[in-house]
C-alpha cells in the first residue's frame, strides 16, 4: 500500500500534481549544444538546445538531407509546390527559395512552381473575405518570383474523368540514374559557362489573369455537394479528394513531374491514426510516406515529414516566414466533430505529457510497406483513391452488413426515386476500396457528386459489363456443337 500520499489521495494523484508543478530543470541561460558559444534560443527536445544560427542550419540541413537521401527529384525537373498558406507549407516554400538562391553553396537543381487552392467557399468565408485572402496570397506568391497557379475549389466540378486514371509511369521516371543525371546537369552548366541556368528571374512569375472568384452558380453547386454530405468526417475526406485532384490536374497540364506537399511529422502522425480509423490501413505507406506514386505520371513527395510542428513554428517565428491562416472546414449545427479532429486532439493532448508520442507514431509508419496499395489492373483499382481494392473475402468485412442495412432504408425514405437510382448507387460499391466505401455511403445522393466521378464510374461499369458479355458469348456458341 502506498503511504507517500496524504489522507485522501493515492500515489497517482501525487504524481499528477507533481507533473503540474514541474518546473524547468535549468533556469539559467543554456549554451547551444552545437556551437557551445551562443545562448540557446529554444529547446526542441530535452537536451537539444540551439541558438538561432545553429537552429537555422539544423532546419536547412534536415530539408536537404531528406531530398538527398531519397533521390526522387532529378536535376532540371519541374516541381509543383502545393502551398496552403499554413506554417508547414510556408516553411517548405522558404526552404526552396533559399535553396535556389545564388548565395547557397549547394543549390537545389529543380525548377519550382507554386499552386494555391482557394477553399474559402466551403470554409465559411464570405465573398469579401475570400477576395481579401486571395489578395494576400497573391502578394505572397508574386514576391517569390516563381510561376504560380491560383485555382478555386469550384473548378473541381469541371475536371475531366481522366483525373481518376493513373498516367503512364514512364513519363515520371528519367531514363538515366540519379548520379548520371547530376553529372550531366553539372557538365551542361559548365559548358554554358553560367551556373545560373535555373535562375527564377527568367521564369514567368505569375499566372494568366483569371476572374477573381468563380461564378455564383458554380459556388452554389459546390456548397450543395458539401451540404449533402451526412457527416463531418466524410466532408473532410471529400475536401482532401477534390484538393489533390485539382493539384494533380494542374501538374499534368503544366508539365510538372513532381508535387511537393507540406505535411509535417505531426500532421503525418495524425493522418496515420486517422486513416487507420477510416479503414485505410492497407494504404498507410502511400498516404503518409515520403513518396506517393499511385498517380503514375505525377509523384507526390513530402519533404517536411520529419519536422515537428514545434520546430516549424519556431522557424517561422524566428525568420519571419509569412503565413496565411485559413479557417477550419465549417460544420453543421450540433454535428459531432470529425474523426480527423478527434484524433488530432487526442494525439496533441498526449504529446503535452509524453513528448515522444508524435515521433513514436511517425516511426511506426516508417516500417509499413507500400506494396498492398499497388493495383495490377483497372478492375483492381479503387475509383476514388486509385489504390488497390482491399475487399478480398468481402463477406467477412464489417462493411457488408452496413451496406445491406442502408440500401433498403434509402429506398424506403425516397418514394419518388426510381429504382434505377438505387441500382446505380449499388453499382458504385464494387469500384471502391473498404475505406472509400465507408466515405461514399455518407456522400449523399449521386446527383450531387462531382460530374467527373460519375462519368468515370459509368465508363468503368460499362466496360466491366462489356467484358462480362464477351466472356459469356463463346460459351453460348459452343452448346450447339456439343449437342
Amino acid at each position: 500500500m502506498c503511504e507517500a500520499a496524504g489522507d485522501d489521495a493515492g500515489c497517482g494523484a501525487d504524481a499528477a500534481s507533481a507533473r503540474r508543478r514541474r518546473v524547468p530543470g535549468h533556469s539559467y541561460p543554456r549554451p547551444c549544444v552545437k556551437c557551445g558559444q551562443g545562448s540557446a534560443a529554444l529547446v526542441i527536445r530535452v537536451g537539444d538546445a540551439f541558438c538561432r544560427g545553429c537552429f537555422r542550419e539544423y532546419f536547412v540541413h534536415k530539408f536537404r538531407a531528406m531530398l538527398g537521401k531519397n533521390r526522387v527529384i532529378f536535376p532540371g525537373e519541374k516541381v509543383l509546390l502545393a502551398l496552403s498558406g499554413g506554417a508547414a507549407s510556408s516553411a517548405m516554400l522558404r526552404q526552396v527559395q533559399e535553396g535556389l538562391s545564388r548565395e547557397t553553396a549547394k543549390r537545389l537543381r529543380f525548377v519550382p512552381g507554386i499552386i494555391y487552392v482557394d477553399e474559402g467557399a466551403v470554409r465559411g468565408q464570405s465573398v469579401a473575405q475570400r477576395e481579401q485572402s486571395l489578395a494576400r496570397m497573391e502578394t505572397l506568391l508574386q514576391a517569390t518570383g516563381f510561376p504560380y497557379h491560383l485555382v478555386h475549389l469550384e473548378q473541381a466540378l469541371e475536371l475531366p474523368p481522366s483525373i481518376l486514371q493513373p498516367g503512364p509511369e514512364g513519363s515520371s521516371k528519367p531514363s538515366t540514374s540519379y548520379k548520371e543525371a547530376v553529372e550531366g546537369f553539372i557538365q551542361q552548366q559548365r559548358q554554358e559557362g553560367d551556373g545560373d541556368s535555373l535562375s527564377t528571374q527568367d521564369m514567368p512569375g505569375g499566372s494568366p489573369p483569371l476572374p477573381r472568384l468563380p461564378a455564383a452558380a458554380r459556388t452554389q453547386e459546390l456548397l450543395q455537394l458539401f451540404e449533402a454530405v451526412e457527416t463531418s468526417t466524410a466532408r473532410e475526406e471529400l475536401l482532401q479528394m477534390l484538393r489533390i485532384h485539382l493539384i494533380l490536374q494542374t501538374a499534368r497540364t503544366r508539365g510538372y513531374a513532381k508535387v511537393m506537399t507540406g505535411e509535417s511529422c505531426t500532421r503525418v502522425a495524425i493522418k496515420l491514426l486517422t486513416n487507420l480509423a477510416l479503414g485505410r490501413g492497407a494504404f498507410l505507406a502511400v498516404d503518409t510516406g515520403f513518396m506517393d506514386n499511385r498517380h503514375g505520371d505525377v509523384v507526390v513527395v513530402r519533404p517536411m515529414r520529419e519536422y515537428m510542428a514545434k520546430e516549424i513554428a519556431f522557424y517561422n517565428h524566428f525568420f519571419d516566414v509569412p503565413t496565411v491562416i485559413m479557417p477550419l472546414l465549417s460544420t453543421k449545427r450540433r454535428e459531432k466533430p470529425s474523426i480527423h479532429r478527434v484524433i488530432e486532439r487526442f494525439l496533441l493532448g498526449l504529446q503535452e505529457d509524453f513528448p515522444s508520442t508524435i515521433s513514436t507514431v511517425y516511426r511506426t509508419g516508417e516500417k509499413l510497406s507500400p506494396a498492398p496499395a499497388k493495383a495490377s489492373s483497372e478492375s483492381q483499382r479503387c475509383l476514388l483513391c486509385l489504390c488497390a481494392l482491399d475487399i478480398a473475402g468481402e463477406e467477412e468485412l464489417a462493411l457488408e452488413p452496413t451496406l445491406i442495412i442502408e440500401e433498403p432504408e434509402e429506398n424506403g425514405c425516397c418514394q419518388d426515386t426510381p429504382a434505377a437510382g438505387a441500382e446505380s448507387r449499388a453499382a458504385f460499391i464494387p469500384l471502391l476500396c473498404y475505406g472509400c466505401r465507408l466515405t461514399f455511403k455518407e456522400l449523399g445522393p449521386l446527383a450531387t457528386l462531382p460530374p467527373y466521378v460519375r462519368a468515370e464510374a459509368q465508363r468503368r461499369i460499362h466496360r466491366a459489363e462489356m467484358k462480362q458479355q464477351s466472356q459469356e458469348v463463346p460459351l453460348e456458341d459452343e452448346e450447339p456443337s456439343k449437342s
Side-chain angles (χ1 to χ4, degrees):
M1 182 176 179
C2 179
E3 299 178 356
D7 296 334
D8 53 355
C11 57
D14 195 43
S17 62
R19 263 201 317 271
R20 288 193 296 268
R21 295 194 303 267
R22 186 183 300 160
V23 295
H26 301 275
S27 57
Y28 54 88
R30 301 174 60 179
C32 175
V33 296
K34 186 174 182 181
C35 65
Q37 298 177 357
S39 299
L42 76 158
V43 179
I44 300 176
R45 290 173 294 271
V46 177
D48 290 344
F50 290 96
C51 63
R52 288 198 180 197
C54 292
F55 173 65
R56 184 179 180 277
E57 292 180 5
Y58 157 82
F59 200 92
V60 172
H61 172 74
K62 184 182 281 190
F63 184 82
R64 299 292 191 87
M66 175 63 79
L67 295 179
K69 177 177 64 175
N70 291 277
R71 296 188 173 185
V72 174
I73 300 177
F74 280 60
E77 276 192 320
K78 295 182 67 177
V79 179
L80 187 62
L81 311 179
L83 183 68
S84 66
S89 62
S90 299
M92 178 184 70
L93 175 61
R94 175 62 65 87
Q95 293 304 300
V96 174
Q97 285 180 281
E98 294 185 357
L100 290 170
S101 65
R102 299 180 182 182
E103 292 78 13
T104 304
K106 295 183 179 180
R107 296 176 57 190
L108 299 176
R109 301 185 179 98
F110 58 82
V111 181
I114 310 174
I115 182 172
Y116 172 73
V117 181
D118 167 39
E119 303 170 359
V122 297
R123 293 186 179 273
Q125 288 189 315
S126 63
V127 173
Q129 290 173 332
R130 289 183 69 183
E131 290 180 345
Q132 184 179 7
S133 298
L134 281 173
R136 292 176 58 194
M137 182 57 66
E138 192 163 14
T139 301
L140 189 152
L141 296 177
Q142 289 176 346
T144 64
F146 299 157
Y148 64 89
H149 313 280
L150 286 173
V151 297
H152 306 283
L153 196 63
E154 289 90 336
Q155 294 175 243
L157 302 176
E158 304 170 1
L159 288 173
S162 60
I163 201 66
L164 295 173
Q165 304 169 13
E169 294 187 10
S171 59
S172 64
K173 294 182 179 179
S175 57
T176 60
S177 66
Y178 184 83
K179 184 177 180 181
E180 292 174 349
V182 172
E183 292 175 352
F185 181 79
I186 295 175
Q187 186 177 3
Q188 180 183 358
Q189 283 188 325
R190 289 175 178 172
Q191 290 176 354
E192 294 175 356
D194 183 8
D196 200 26
S197 61
L198 284 182
S199 173
T200 58
Q201 301 299 325
D202 301 329
M203 296 191 297
S207 59
L210 295 173
R212 205 60 175 164
L213 291 177
R218 276 296 184 192
T219 302
Q220 188 61 31
E221 186 178 352
L222 180 70
L223 290 176
Q224 289 177 356
L225 166 62
F226 276 81
E227 288 173 358
V229 179
E230 299 175 6
T231 64
S232 55
T233 299
R235 207 171 295 119
E236 293 270 5
E237 290 293 300
L238 176 62
L239 176 59
Q240 292 179 19
M241 182 189 74
L242 297 181
R243 183 193 302 129
I244 192 62
H245 287 168
L246 276 173
I247 294 173
L248 180 61
Q249 177 66 12
T250 303
R252 285 177 173 174
T253 55
R254 303 289 180 172
Y256 291 94
K258 303 291 189 302
V259 172
M260 272 191 187
T261 59
E263 288 106 322
S264 64
C265 176
T266 306
R267 186 56 52 190
V268 166
I270 294 171
K271 190 174 184 180
L272 193 147
L273 289 188
T274 300
N275 286 10
L276 196 61
L278 293 175
R280 297 187 55 80
F283 316 133
L284 291 179
V286 294
D287 287 340
T288 62
F290 174 79
M291 183 177 69
D292 181 359
N293 59 358
R294 78 183 80 177
H295 305 291
D297 55 340
V298 178
V299 178
V300 178
V301 295
R302 304 179 178 95
M304 302 294 292
R305 63 191 302 269
E306 287 192 353
Y307 292 95
M308 300 289 291
K310 178 181 178 181
E311 296 174 333
I312 296 173
F314 273 114
Y315 179 84
N316 292 350
H317 174 69
F318 285 157
F319 305 107
D320 299 324
V321 178
T323 59
V324 178
I325 305 300
M326 298 293 293
L328 296 176
L329 187 63
S330 57
T331 57
K332 299 178 181 178
R333 187 180 180 184
R334 296 181 180 178
E335 188 177 41
K336 293 181 180 179
S338 65
I339 293 178
H340 307 73
R341 301 304 167 201
V342 172
I343 296 291
E344 181 177 359
R345 287 189 213 138
F346 170 71
L347 271 183
L348 296 182
L350 278 179
Q351 181 72 10
E352 291 183 4
D353 287 334
F354 306 98
S356 61
T357 299
I358 297 294
S359 59
T360 300
V361 175
Y362 168 79
R363 286 196 301 270
T364 302
E366 288 286 279
K367 303 174 184 178
L368 301 174
S369 169
K374 295 182 180 178
S376 57
S377 63
E378 181 182 87
S379 60
Q380 299 298 320
R381 186 181 300 114
C382 177
L383 172 69
L384 299 182
C385 69
L386 302 187
C387 289
L389 294 178
D390 55 343
I391 54 174
E394 191 171 288
E395 65 281 354
E396 300 175 2
L397 296 178
L399 177 61
E400 190 65 18
T402 304
L403 294 175
I404 294 174
I405 293 172
E406 290 293 333
E407 287 183 359
E409 182 180 343
E410 183 180 7
N411 295 338
C413 67
C414 302
Q415 300 294 336
D416 55 343
T417 302
E423 292 176 1
S424 62
R425 185 175 181 85
F428 273 63
I429 301 302
L431 306 178
L432 305 174
C433 65
Y434 180 78
C436 290
R437 287 185 180 190
L438 293 175
T439 302
F440 175 77
K441 74 183 186 68
E442 298 175 346
L443 289 183
L446 287 180
T448 61
L449 291 181
Y452 72 96
V453 174
R454 301 200 303 269
E456 177 63 15
Q458 292 300 327
R459 185 192 71 83
R460 289 180 58 173
I461 292 171
H462 182 64
R463 186 171 182 178
E465 291 175 349
M466 292 181 61
K467 184 177 180 180
Q468 185 177 2
Q469 292 174 2
S470 64
Q471 292 175 348
E472 294 175 354
V473 169
L475 296 176
E476 295 176 357
D477 295 341
E478 290 176 1
E479 288 181 359
S481 61
K482 289 181 181 179
S483 59

